[in-house]
Amino acid sequence: QVQLVESGGGSVQAGGSLRLSCAMSGNTHSPNCMGWFRQAPGKEREGVAGIRATDGRTDYADSVKGRFTVSQDNAKVYLQMNAVKPEDTATYYCAATAWDAYCSGSPHVYEYNYWGQGIQVTVSS
């Protein structure tokens, strides 16, 4: 059974940095795409960053461009969060596609097959 487990969340002050990690297990092949999503209370889940293994293509939500960096190492994905803002406060989820699934490398919810349980990130002002 495929599982995704996030780590590295917590509380940080505005302007600080945080690094999220996610490890995938139970898969026989590395996923084609991995990504990060977030959901704040009362809001819909939104894509934050995505990365495609075949060519390294990455894509980011406008709200995090220049501040967040996504990277992938086989079946692990990372999100380096710099210059965080209070509006980055949310539950963050990592996700992965099947190894043979088409994916764009953009963080579109509908492209992802597997999801982690989520980890809380709280940014205080």
Side-chain angles (χ1 to χ4, degrees), residues 3 6 12 22 30 32 36 59 66 71 89 93 100 108 110 124:
Q3 286 190 319
E6 302 97 339
V12 61
C22 174
S30 293
N32 195 13
W36 289 94
D59 194 20
S71 58
T89 295
Y93 300 87
D100 58 350
H108 299 309
Y110 59 83
S124 58

PDB file of all heavy atoms in Angstrom, residues 3 6 12 22 30 32 36 59 66 71 89 93 100 108 110 124:
ATOM      1  N   GLN A   3       2.106   4.853   0.749  1.00  0.00           N
ATOM      2  CA  GLN A   3       1.933   5.825   1.819  1.00  0.00           C
ATOM      3  C   GLN A   3       2.864   7.010   1.593  1.00  0.00           C
ATOM      4  O   GLN A   3       3.986   6.851   1.108  1.00  0.00           O
ATOM      5  CB  GLN A   3       2.232   5.198   3.183  1.00  0.00           C
ATOM      6  CG  GLN A   3       1.156   4.259   3.690  1.00  0.00           C
ATOM      7  CD  GLN A   3       1.389   3.860   5.141  1.00  0.00           C
ATOM      8  OE1 GLN A   3       2.512   3.605   5.545  1.00  0.00           O
ATOM      9  NE2 GLN A   3       0.326   3.807   5.916  1.00  0.00           N
ATOM     10  N   GLU A   6       4.555  13.172   5.696  1.00  0.00           N
ATOM     11  CA  GLU A   6       5.195  14.484   5.760  1.00  0.00           C
ATOM     12  C   GLU A   6       5.895  14.684   7.097  1.00  0.00           C
ATOM     13  O   GLU A   6       5.478  14.108   8.116  1.00  0.00           O
ATOM     14  CB  GLU A   6       4.158  15.605   5.576  1.00  0.00           C
ATOM     15  CG  GLU A   6       3.357  15.554   4.289  1.00  0.00           C
ATOM     16  CD  GLU A   6       2.006  14.908   4.454  1.00  0.00           C
ATOM     17  OE1 GLU A   6       1.814  14.149   5.429  1.00  0.00           O
ATOM     18  OE2 GLU A   6       1.122  15.145   3.601  1.00  0.00           O
ATOM     19  N   VAL A  12       6.669  28.989  13.088  1.00  0.00           N
ATOM     20  CA  VAL A  12       7.797  29.827  12.720  1.00  0.00           C
ATOM     21  C   VAL A  12       7.313  31.268  12.662  1.00  0.00           C
ATOM     22  O   VAL A  12       6.136  31.523  12.382  1.00  0.00           O
ATOM     23  CB  VAL A  12       8.389  29.389  11.353  1.00  0.00           C
ATOM     24  CG1 VAL A  12       7.370  29.511  10.242  1.00  0.00           C
ATOM     25  CG2 VAL A  12       9.668  30.132  11.039  1.00  0.00           C
ATOM     26  N   CYS A  22       8.845  14.871   2.608  1.00  0.00           N
ATOM     27  CA  CYS A  22       7.801  13.867   2.411  1.00  0.00           C
ATOM     28  C   CYS A  22       8.445  12.621   1.815  1.00  0.00           C
ATOM     29  O   CYS A  22       9.175  12.704   0.821  1.00  0.00           O
ATOM     30  CB  CYS A  22       6.721  14.399   1.491  1.00  0.00           C
ATOM     31  SG  CYS A  22       5.455  13.178   1.049  1.00  0.00           S
ATOM     32  N   SER A  30       9.521   5.077  -8.707  1.00  0.00           N
ATOM     33  CA  SER A  30       9.432   6.475  -8.282  1.00  0.00           C
ATOM     34  C   SER A  30       8.308   7.163  -9.035  1.00  0.00           C
ATOM     35  O   SER A  30       8.083   6.890 -10.213  1.00  0.00           O
ATOM     36  CB  SER A  30      10.762   7.190  -8.555  1.00  0.00           C
ATOM     37  OG  SER A  30      11.779   6.668  -7.738  1.00  0.00           O
ATOM     38  N   ASN A  32       6.093   9.875 -11.108  1.00  0.00           N
ATOM     39  CA  ASN A  32       6.438  10.783 -12.191  1.00  0.00           C
ATOM     40  C   ASN A  32       6.425  12.227 -11.709  1.00  0.00           C
ATOM     41  O   ASN A  32       7.301  13.004 -12.064  1.00  0.00           O
ATOM     42  CB  ASN A  32       5.457  10.617 -13.353  1.00  0.00           C
ATOM     43  CG  ASN A  32       5.973  11.256 -14.626  1.00  0.00           C
ATOM     44  OD1 ASN A  32       7.145  11.615 -14.737  1.00  0.00           O
ATOM     45  ND2 ASN A  32       5.097  11.385 -15.604  1.00  0.00           N
ATOM     46  N   TRP A  36       3.243  19.678  -3.587  1.00  0.00           N
ATOM     47  CA  TRP A  36       2.796  20.155  -2.277  1.00  0.00           C
ATOM     48  C   TRP A  36       1.525  20.970  -2.456  1.00  0.00           C
ATOM     49  O   TRP A  36       1.426  21.790  -3.377  1.00  0.00           O
ATOM     50  CB  TRP A  36       3.871  21.008  -1.615  1.00  0.00           C
ATOM     51  CG  TRP A  36       5.058  20.217  -1.165  1.00  0.00           C
ATOM     52  CD1 TRP A  36       6.216  20.001  -1.843  1.00  0.00           C
ATOM     53  CD2 TRP A  36       5.179  19.522   0.073  1.00  0.00           C
ATOM     54  NE1 TRP A  36       7.056  19.212  -1.107  1.00  0.00           N
ATOM     55  CE2 TRP A  36       6.440  18.902   0.086  1.00  0.00           C
ATOM     56  CE3 TRP A  36       4.353  19.357   1.192  1.00  0.00           C
ATOM     57  CZ2 TRP A  36       6.908  18.144   1.154  1.00  0.00           C
ATOM     58  CZ3 TRP A  36       4.811  18.596   2.250  1.00  0.00           C
ATOM     59  CH2 TRP A  36       6.070  18.006   2.230  1.00  0.00           C
ATOM     60  N   ASP A  59       6.753  24.045 -10.974  1.00  0.00           N
ATOM     61  CA  ASP A  59       5.771  25.108 -11.104  1.00  0.00           C
ATOM     62  C   ASP A  59       5.287  25.491  -9.715  1.00  0.00           C
ATOM     63  O   ASP A  59       5.237  24.626  -8.816  1.00  0.00           O
ATOM     64  CB  ASP A  59       4.595  24.663 -11.979  1.00  0.00           C
ATOM     65  CG  ASP A  59       3.722  25.828 -12.416  1.00  0.00           C
ATOM     66  OD1 ASP A  59       4.202  26.984 -12.381  1.00  0.00           O
ATOM     67  OD2 ASP A  59       2.551  25.585 -12.768  1.00  0.00           O
ATOM     68  N   GLY A  66       9.380  32.611  -5.813  1.00  0.00           N
ATOM     69  CA  GLY A  66      10.499  33.380  -5.293  1.00  0.00           C
ATOM     70  C   GLY A  66      10.764  33.147  -3.821  1.00  0.00           C
ATOM     71  O   GLY A  66      11.803  33.593  -3.306  1.00  0.00           O
ATOM     72  N   SER A  71      11.877  20.332  -4.462  1.00  0.00           N
ATOM     73  CA  SER A  71      12.900  19.449  -5.019  1.00  0.00           C
ATOM     74  C   SER A  71      12.481  18.004  -4.779  1.00  0.00           C
ATOM     75  O   SER A  71      11.695  17.714  -3.870  1.00  0.00           O
ATOM     76  CB  SER A  71      14.268  19.731  -4.404  1.00  0.00           C
ATOM     77  OG  SER A  71      14.245  19.587  -3.007  1.00  0.00           O
ATOM     78  N   THR A  89       0.141  30.109   6.640  1.00  0.00           N
ATOM     79  CA  THR A  89      -0.376  29.202   7.661  1.00  0.00           C
ATOM     80  C   THR A  89      -1.441  28.289   7.062  1.00  0.00           C
ATOM     81  O   THR A  89      -2.410  28.757   6.463  1.00  0.00           O
ATOM     82  CB  THR A  89      -0.966  29.997   8.836  1.00  0.00           C
ATOM     83  OG1 THR A  89       0.079  30.728   9.472  1.00  0.00           O
ATOM     84  CG2 THR A  89      -1.633  29.058   9.837  1.00  0.00           C
ATOM     85  N   TYR A  93       0.026  19.341   2.502  1.00  0.00           N
ATOM     86  CA  TYR A  93      -0.067  17.951   2.074  1.00  0.00           C
ATOM     87  C   TYR A  93       0.926  17.700   0.946  1.00  0.00           C
ATOM     88  O   TYR A  93       1.035  18.518   0.021  1.00  0.00           O
ATOM     89  CB  TYR A  93      -1.468  17.640   1.546  1.00  0.00           C
ATOM     90  CG  TYR A  93      -2.570  17.836   2.543  1.00  0.00           C
ATOM     91  CD1 TYR A  93      -3.181  19.072   2.728  1.00  0.00           C
ATOM     92  CD2 TYR A  93      -3.028  16.763   3.321  1.00  0.00           C
ATOM     93  CE1 TYR A  93      -4.194  19.260   3.649  1.00  0.00           C
ATOM     94  CE2 TYR A  93      -4.049  16.928   4.239  1.00  0.00           C
ATOM     95  CZ  TYR A  93      -4.628  18.186   4.395  1.00  0.00           C
ATOM     96  OH  TYR A  93      -5.639  18.350   5.311  1.00  0.00           O
ATOM     97  N   ASP A 100       3.643   5.904 -13.891  1.00  0.00           N
ATOM     98  CA  ASP A 100       3.425   5.896 -15.328  1.00  0.00           C
ATOM     99  C   ASP A 100       2.308   6.848 -15.756  1.00  0.00           C
ATOM    100  O   ASP A 100       1.838   6.801 -16.896  1.00  0.00           O
ATOM    101  CB  ASP A 100       3.116   4.483 -15.821  1.00  0.00           C
ATOM    102  CG  ASP A 100       1.901   3.883 -15.129  1.00  0.00           C
ATOM    103  OD1 ASP A 100       1.405   4.465 -14.139  1.00  0.00           O
ATOM    104  OD2 ASP A 100       1.440   2.821 -15.571  1.00  0.00           O
ATOM    105  N   HIS A 108      -1.684  20.595  -9.833  1.00  0.00           N
ATOM    106  CA  HIS A 108      -3.131  20.472 -10.042  1.00  0.00           C
ATOM    107  C   HIS A 108      -3.635  19.282  -9.244  1.00  0.00           C
ATOM    108  O   HIS A 108      -3.176  18.155  -9.431  1.00  0.00           O
ATOM    109  CB  HIS A 108      -3.433  20.251 -11.530  1.00  0.00           C
ATOM    110  CG  HIS A 108      -2.981  21.367 -12.419  1.00  0.00           C
ATOM    111  ND1 HIS A 108      -3.299  22.682 -12.173  1.00  0.00           N
ATOM    112  CD2 HIS A 108      -2.242  21.371 -13.549  1.00  0.00           C
ATOM    113  CE1 HIS A 108      -2.782  23.440 -13.125  1.00  0.00           C
ATOM    114  NE2 HIS A 108      -2.120  22.668 -13.978  1.00  0.00           N
ATOM    115  N   TYR A 110      -6.162  17.416  -9.462  1.00  0.00           N
ATOM    116  CA  TYR A 110      -6.728  16.298 -10.212  1.00  0.00           C
ATOM    117  C   TYR A 110      -5.680  15.378 -10.829  1.00  0.00           C
ATOM    118  O   TYR A 110      -5.995  14.277 -11.268  1.00  0.00           O
ATOM    119  CB  TYR A 110      -7.684  16.802 -11.294  1.00  0.00           C
ATOM    120  CG  TYR A 110      -7.047  17.731 -12.314  1.00  0.00           C
ATOM    121  CD1 TYR A 110      -6.346  17.229 -13.403  1.00  0.00           C
ATOM    122  CD2 TYR A 110      -7.176  19.101 -12.183  1.00  0.00           C
ATOM    123  CE1 TYR A 110      -5.774  18.075 -14.338  1.00  0.00           C
ATOM    124  CE2 TYR A 110      -6.597  19.968 -13.118  1.00  0.00           C
ATOM    125  CZ  TYR A 110      -5.899  19.448 -14.191  1.00  0.00           C
ATOM    126  OH  TYR A 110      -5.334  20.285 -15.101  1.00  0.00           O
ATOM    127  N   SER A 124       3.591  33.009  12.568  1.00  0.00           N
ATOM    128  CA  SER A 124       3.127  34.081  13.438  1.00  0.00           C
ATOM    129  C   SER A 124       3.758  35.407  13.021  1.00  0.00           C
ATOM    130  O   SER A 124       4.890  35.457  12.548  1.00  0.00           O
ATOM    131  CB  SER A 124       3.472  33.767  14.890  1.00  0.00           C
ATOM    132  OG  SER A 124       4.869  33.591  15.046  1.00  0.00           O
TER     133      SER A 124
END
